[in-house]
Amino acid sequence: MQPIYDPRLGDVESDASSPKKHSLLALAGSLLVEVSLPKLALAFLLLIGFPALLLGAAPIAASIWLGEIFGKVMVFQAEIWSVLVLAALVAAALFSSRRLFRLAEHNFWSLNALAVQPLYAACREALRQLAERKIAPGTGRFAAMRAAAALLAGLVICGVALLVLAWVWPATLFVADIAILDAPRRFVGAAFANSAALVSAYVAVAALAWGVADATMAQPRDLESFDPPQQGEEWRVVHLSDIHVVGERYGFRIESGRHGPRGNERLRQVFEMLEALHAREPLYAILITGDVTDAGLSTEWAEFFDMLERHPALAPLIAFAPGNHDLNIVDRGNPARLDLPTSPVKRLRKLRVLSAMDAIQGARARLVDRAGGGLSKSLSVALAPHLGEIGSFMDAGRPMFSRELSELWTKAFPLALAPDREDGLGIVLLNSNADTHFSFTNALGMISLEQARAIDSVMAHYPRAHWIVGLHHHLVEYPRPAKALSERIGTALINGAWFVRRMQSLAGRVVVMHGHRHIDWFGECGGLRIVSAPSPVMTRPDGGPPHFYVHRLAVGADRRLKLLAPERIELPLAGAA
């Protein structure tokens, strides 16, 4: 039986969400047609409107509260028992002010992560995209252009922020009395004006500081050569990324659509090759830097587990960090879909990742002790008291507002696989995904300050050890022109340059490995070695065979971590589109 068109090859519907088949503008057009406007409006209110209102209302509430406290003190000052009343009021004031400050701080940083830093990153990369059309990569002028674009972006964003500040300033009201509550429209308007003024003032200063910092830091460059062989122990680490497991035999992948192999046949080939490599010469670890699944679905995790069960010798070597496809894909067939912040579905995807991490590396990976420093209990031990609640949530999607389940995700990262001795090699796994609820913006990344501080704590606790830091998103844009602006701003780690500056002091002890871009790159930035992994299941842009690398790491006589020449493993092209 021969059909007119073989359905196993897929068709145009299989390419509906593929950015390789559609431009960012085309996907945005379909988004505008299909997006749910009521859900979009509600999401805007919950993610931007409500935090902005609370942030702007905080100084008004503080001034009202201080005025009331001062009035009470004046009333009670002549009474004998006024000291007791005053003490109670001060205690209540201290407690309330801390809560008010924490609430305002939380909403401020939420607005910063959602709008401020992405705006600066988008402006910087847009300027670089324009300039790179006329300057050859790999030259001194190219690096100077990147630095100048960062400084110019900071100046542009600073100027716009100052204009906004000047525009909203007449409507601000930071000091008021309780009578303002009788005019709710004025109160709300003043709160939003306050919020705009506070954020604009911060942006004006921060954008200029970011621009100067990005302009003066070392620019990324291709790694000119690998380190020569070293005396002593050598660690062989397989670096995979973006394996995009699908849940159907002929399932298409979001990124490549019908291009590339159907189903998971190529990934099965990868595991068979890894089994042979490990039997020939033992591997130290198999690191997967995100996008284990194509859309974070339970069927995709099931396929992944089924494949690992066929290779029991490999499972104890695997360590993985989550990618945007594991967490942020709302609907794999429709980029216009979005989750409301109150929806249980985003938390469900997070719990699937935690469950998979527990099954694969839970006994080996340990949480960071935020208070005492160093490493604390294993992931499995940390999750054990919550297994009943996790199971209940995954079965019924309730309770929607469980604080414990929300904190579980935040406290789980970074995860660390400790070195087997004080001067050995460990692995730190980060969650670099921005907390988005929209498929169209799913690929953005951000490293939290808490994770960066936790890395410092781990490094200080193991002063002689060396580390692989694994995350999904790329820290810097590679020193080469991008084909489209969407490649730079749609997939960016929006505070990547800041994270590089924090990591540079660890340059001799750390190699950073990431995925996300589906291409291989060996480079450095300020002495920090950075390695990008290609996708072994996607068809390469140049039509060549997909591949992956077995990296070789060793410690030199100078006690610095060395990156030796890797072994490149190519897969046969059979099964490719």
Side-chain angles (χ1 to χ4, degrees), residues 38-208:
K39 286 183 70 174
L40 186 62
L42 184 55
F44 179 86
L45 287 175
L46 292 173
L47 293 172
I48 296 181
F50 189 59
L53 178 62
L54 290 179
L55 175 63
I60 300 177
S63 68
I64 294 173
W65 167 74
L66 287 173
E68 290 297 302
I69 293 296
F70 184 75
K72 298 291 185 185
V73 172
M74 292 298 101
V75 170
F76 291 128
Q77 66 179 351
E79 304 292 338
I80 298 176
W81 49 275
S82 63
V83 174
L84 297 177
V85 175
L86 180 60
L89 289 173
V90 170
L94 291 174
F95 177 76
S96 301
S97 62
R98 283 198 298 267
R99 295 188 64 181
L100 180 65
F101 176 78
R102 285 198 298 268
L103 182 63
E105 182 185 38
H106 171 76
N107 287 291
F108 176 82
W109 289 114
S110 295
L111 292 171
N112 175 66
L114 194 65
V116 176
Q117 285 188 282
L119 180 64
Y120 165 74
C123 182
R124 181 191 64 203
E125 297 307 321
L127 291 171
R128 287 175 174 174
Q129 179 80 359
L130 290 172
E132 284 175 2
R133 296 177 180 178
K134 297 182 179 180
I135 302 176
T139 63
R141 288 187 62 206
F142 190 86
M145 175 277 299
R146 289 176 58 92
L151 181 58
L152 182 58
L155 290 171
V156 169
I157 300 299
C158 176
V160 172
L162 290 175
L163 289 175
V164 172
L165 178 61
W167 178 54
V168 301
W169 186 258
T172 58
L173 182 66
F174 292 99
V175 178
D177 55 38
I178 199 167
I180 195 175
L181 299 181
D182 295 329
R185 291 182 63 181
R186 185 178 176 222
F187 173 78
V188 171
F192 279 117
N194 289 351
S195 180
L198 290 171
V199 173
S200 297
Y202 166 76
V203 171
V205 176
L208 192 57

Side-chain angles (χ1 to χ4, degrees), residues 106-403:
H106 171 76
N107 287 291
F108 176 82
W109 289 114
S110 295
L111 292 171
N112 175 66
L114 194 65
V116 176
Q117 285 188 282
L119 180 64
Y120 165 74
C123 182
R124 181 191 64 203
E125 297 307 321
L127 291 171
R128 287 175 174 174
Q129 179 80 359
L130 290 172
E132 284 175 2
R133 296 177 180 178
K134 297 182 179 180
I135 302 176
T139 63
R141 288 187 62 206
F142 190 86
M145 175 277 299
R146 289 176 58 92
L151 181 58
L152 182 58
L155 290 171
V156 169
I157 300 299
C158 176
V160 172
L162 290 175
L163 289 175
V164 172
L165 178 61
W167 178 54
V168 301
W169 186 258
T172 58
L173 182 66
F174 292 99
V175 178
D177 55 38
I178 199 167
I180 195 175
L181 299 181
D182 295 329
R185 291 182 63 181
R186 185 178 176 222
F187 173 78
V188 171
F192 279 117
N194 289 351
S195 180
L198 290 171
V199 173
S200 297
Y202 166 76
V203 171
V205 176
L208 192 57
W210 292 337
V212 172
D214 289 354
T216 54
M217 69 178 282
Q219 297 300 312
R221 61 188 183 90
D222 295 334
L223 190 64
E224 296 178 353
S225 62
F226 294 99
D227 294 308
Q230 305 292 311
Q231 297 293 327
E233 184 176 6
E234 183 179 299
W235 296 284
R236 299 173 72 241
V237 177
V238 173
H239 184 195
L240 304 177
S241 195
D242 301 273
I243 57 178
H244 288 264
V245 174
V246 292
E248 311 87 17
R249 182 179 179 188
Y250 293 106
F252 67 92
R253 292 182 171 86
I254 294 175
E255 291 290 322
S256 56
R258 58 186 145 160
H259 291 269
R262 266 69 59 187
N264 303 303
E265 290 303 317
R266 188 168 285 166
L267 185 57
R268 293 187 181 95
Q269 292 178 348
V270 170
F271 283 135
E272 290 170 1
M273 289 179 168
L274 291 180
E275 184 114 41
L277 287 169
H278 184 55
R280 187 183 72 199
E281 185 179 353
L283 300 169
Y284 181 74
I286 300 172
L287 175 63
I288 307 176
T289 50
D291 282 2
V292 179
T293 64
D294 199 52
L297 300 176
S298 58
T299 54
E300 296 168 348
W301 286 112
E303 282 286 337
F304 183 58
F305 283 130
D306 283 349
M307 277 188 276
L308 283 185
E309 285 180 354
R310 302 187 189 101
H311 303 279
L314 299 181
L317 303 176
I318 290 178
F320 77 89
N324 61 297
H325 280 252
D326 301 317
L327 295 175
N328 290 340
I329 300 296
V330 179
D331 185 336
R332 70 192 305 267
N334 182 6
R337 285 285 300 276
L338 61 93
D339 275 336
L340 292 176
T342 56
S343 169
V345 182
K346 177 66 174 286
R347 186 166 298 163
L348 186 62
R349 293 193 293 271
K350 290 180 178 179
L351 290 178
R352 287 179 189 142
V353 172
L354 282 179
S355 177
M357 297 182 86
D358 177 43
I360 293 170
Q361 62 210 34
R364 296 175 287 127
R366 295 162 61 188
L367 277 63
V368 176
D369 184 354
R370 305 292 176 91
L375 301 180
S376 62
K377 52 195 170 185
S378 70
L379 177 63
S380 294
V381 171
L383 294 179
H386 306 278
L387 295 183
E389 189 177 7
I390 291 173
S392 175
F393 185 90
M394 298 186 78
D395 181 58
R398 296 186 299 268
M400 292 175 61
F401 299 101
S402 169
R403 180 178 178 182

Side-chain angles (χ1 to χ4, degrees), residues 400-417:
M400 292 175 61
F401 299 101
S402 169
R403 180 178 178 182
E404 290 77 13
L405 292 185
S406 179
E407 290 182 348
L408 272 180
W409 177 258
T410 303
K411 292 178 179 178
F413 297 97
L415 274 177
L417 281 74

